[in-house]
Amino acid sequence: MDGHMIWKMIRSMQRVFRAGTGIFLRNCHTSTVKHRSLHCSSFLGKALVDGELIEQQENEPEGTLNEVYTSEQSDTILETLNTATESELANIKLLRGKKSASIVQYRETHGPFLDLDQVLNVPYFKYKMTVKVCESILNPVERGPKGERKLESRTSLRFFKPEVTEDRLEATESIVSIVFGIRKIAWAHVDRKMTVLDWKQEEWYRFMKGAYHAHVYLEDISSAVDKLPKADLYILEKPGISIQNSSLYPVMLHLRTVEAMLYALLNTQYATDWEHRVLSIGRNTVGKHFELMLGESRTSGIEILTQMFTDSFIHGQKRIHFPQDMVFRYRNQFQSKGQNRNEELCDALLQAIAFYELAFTTQNK
């Protein structure tokens, strides 16, 4: 197993188990950074790093880098910092010279970065400068024919993890979008022409009831996977529960377990061809795409989907096309209340639409 895969495993485990210890560790780490900064300030605003005096930045903002970026953005930044070579890092704005060398040296000495705040331990990296580096990684630029700056065409692909190439997306004829909760798993099979081919959900009656053993997870999830249609890519909703909400830790652990098992069961050929057929997209990313966010929380998309039914069947609009039999079958499904609102079913289809529209932004314009 290479270092890149080990880092991804450590990163995933850290996110699951940091709920109970994250605040404590973060406070300890912040205290360490502040103590180091205070110690360096005694040298008339300068610090000695590797035998060279560098100026200390004043009035550094309080807080942590982990609070600035979403989990998806953090994954993108950390993957670059942990896997890029020194020459590749030097191509990123503000990472030329000794900064790129310092990143590589720190990795070799201390191992991969597990969170963004750890980057502040690297020589030459202060808060404000590190934020600019993170922004350069999230929004890379390249030079046009006459030297003008332009955004890379792959910028929109950062919404999906693991990374997928443009060629792979161009060859995609259909996807299965999957959304799961503590009681249900729903999927939408949608082709490249935005036609809904299949749209269903299953209920898991044993989930979150007492001791839910590993073999029960395998039995129930394997049963659901057997019913999924064949597709080029499978898109999973990345759980949006905050790791700081310790009261929801059992739910978060359950969702991450289901997510990991779906990755394994749907990626059976990965060990042979090393190609990912399962991608994740953040729940809030889809919410922002359809303007369903209320602050940091995502609201229901049932009304939007109901309108799509109307637009497709009555007005003939083609943002998403429902076969006629599917319209009659589902048109009354979203008028129920409580636990029968079919939120997962709705979210699976919205996620499929968001995937195509985000992945092929340039083609749709």
Side-chain angles (χ1 to χ4, degrees):
M1 185 178 296
D2 60 25
H4 179 52
M5 294 183 65
I6 292 175
W7 166 73
K8 284 199 169 185
M9 291 175 62
I10 294 174
R11 176 72 172 155
S12 179
M13 292 171 64
Q14 180 204 33
R15 289 205 166 184
V16 172
F17 292 106
R18 197 170 61 178
T21 61
I23 296 176
F24 171 76
L25 290 175
R26 181 176 293 172
N27 289 341
C28 290
H29 176 73
T30 303
S31 299
T32 302
V33 174
K34 288 182 178 179
H35 175 75
R36 184 187 64 181
S37 178
L38 180 63
H39 176 72
C40 291
S41 67
S42 63
F43 291 92
L44 299 178
K46 296 185 177 181
L48 186 64
V49 179
D50 294 336
E52 180 180 351
L53 282 174
I54 60 173
E55 294 188 1
Q56 183 80 359
Q57 293 187 16
E58 298 180 356
N59 301 321
E60 287 289 341
E62 295 184 358
T64 69
L65 288 169
N66 293 328
E67 296 172 347
V68 175
Y69 299 98
T70 66
S71 59
E72 293 85 1
Q73 291 172 329
S74 296
D75 284 341
T76 299
I77 297 167
L78 289 172
E79 184 167 7
T80 298
L81 295 178
N82 283 324
T83 61
T85 64
E86 183 175 339
S87 60
E88 290 171 338
L89 289 171
N91 290 326
I92 299 174
K93 183 180 180 181
L94 300 178
L95 283 186
R96 297 179 178 87
K98 293 185 177 181
K99 293 187 180 67
S100 58
S102 295
I103 288 286
V104 175
Q105 183 178 359
Y106 187 92
R107 283 180 350 208
E108 294 174 348
T109 304
H110 302 281
F113 298 100
L114 301 182
D115 60 39
L116 295 180
D117 283 336
Q118 196 176 351
V119 181
L120 297 175
N121 289 331
V122 181
Y124 307 102
F125 282 79
K126 303 303 177 185
Y127 185 95
K128 292 180 180 178
M129 193 277 289
T130 305
V131 169
K132 293 179 181 179
V133 170
C134 292
E135 293 300 323
S136 295
I137 294 174
L138 292 175
N139 300 289
V141 295
E142 60 180 7
R143 297 291 175 180
K146 297 182 180 180
E148 70 271 14
R149 298 171 66 198
K150 63 178 182 178
L151 289 175
E152 285 185 334
S153 60
R154 296 183 70 256
T155 301
S156 63
L157 302 188
R158 65 185 174 86
F159 293 116
F160 317 120
K161 294 297 174 184
E163 289 187 359
V164 58
T165 64
E166 289 181 341
D167 291 341
R168 185 72 185 279
L169 288 177
E170 288 293 339
T172 298
E173 295 297 329
S174 72
I175 65 168
V176 172
S177 169
I178 304 171
V179 171
F180 50 89
I182 61 174
R183 293 284 184 267
K184 300 176 182 178
I185 178 172
W187 63 86
H189 187 199
V190 181
D191 68 12
R192 182 71 171 269
K193 297 179 180 179
M194 301 302 290
T195 298
V196 182
L197 306 177
D198 187 43
W199 193 24
K200 294 179 182 177
Q201 68 179 10
E202 292 277 323
E203 291 198 23
W204 282 319
Y205 296 101
R206 296 185 289 181
F207 269 9
M208 303 295 289
K209 291 184 179 179
Y212 200 80
H213 299 290
H215 71 276
V216 180
Y217 270 102
L218 180 60
E219 291 168 6
D220 281 2
I221 298 174
S222 295
S223 176
V225 167
D226 286 342
K227 298 174 183 177
L228 294 177
K230 300 298 182 182
D232 297 304
L233 293 175
Y234 296 88
I235 315 301
L236 304 186
E237 178 186 75
K238 187 170 184 177
I241 297 178
S242 171
I243 60 177
Q244 303 299 332
N245 193 339
S246 57
S247 64
L248 293 177
Y249 175 76
V251 176
M252 180 182 67
L253 182 59
H254 161 78
L255 296 178
R256 295 309 297 267
T257 301
V258 174
E259 179 187 29
M261 295 194 73
L262 286 172
Y263 260 91
L265 293 172
L266 292 170
N267 249 338
T268 55
Q269 296 180 340
Y270 179 74
T272 303
D273 56 22
W274 296 95
E275 292 231 358
H276 286 285
R277 289 172 175 78
V278 183
L279 308 177
S280 292
I281 182 172
R283 175 175 173 80
N284 286 350
T285 297
V286 178
K288 292 175 182 177
H289 184 71
F290 288 104
E291 299 182 351
L292 294 174
M293 301 302 295
L294 186 60
E296 295 297 321
S297 300
R298 176 174 157 178
T299 60
S300 173
I302 289 179
E303 291 186 4
I304 290 180
L305 196 58
T306 302
Q307 185 62 47
M308 287 184 182
F309 267 112
T310 303
D311 292 340
S312 176
F313 186 58
I314 299 179
H315 303 301
Q317 296 180 7
K318 298 298 184 181
R319 187 175 187 181
I320 186 73
H321 174 67
F322 299 91
Q324 190 173 27
D325 63 329
M326 193 171 289
V327 173
F328 287 116
R329 192 189 323 161
Y330 287 103
R331 62 180 177 178
N332 296 321
Q333 289 292 317
F334 303 102
Q335 298 178 5
S336 54
K337 299 179 179 180
Q339 294 184 351
N340 297 320
R341 282 172 57 85
N342 295 319
E343 293 283 357
E344 290 88 354
L345 194 64
C346 170
D347 290 346
L349 189 51
L350 291 179
Q351 181 173 271
I353 299 170
F355 173 83
Y356 276 117
E357 293 181 349
L358 289 171
F360 303 105
T361 300
T362 56
Q363 287 91 331
N364 291 341
K365 287 183 178 180

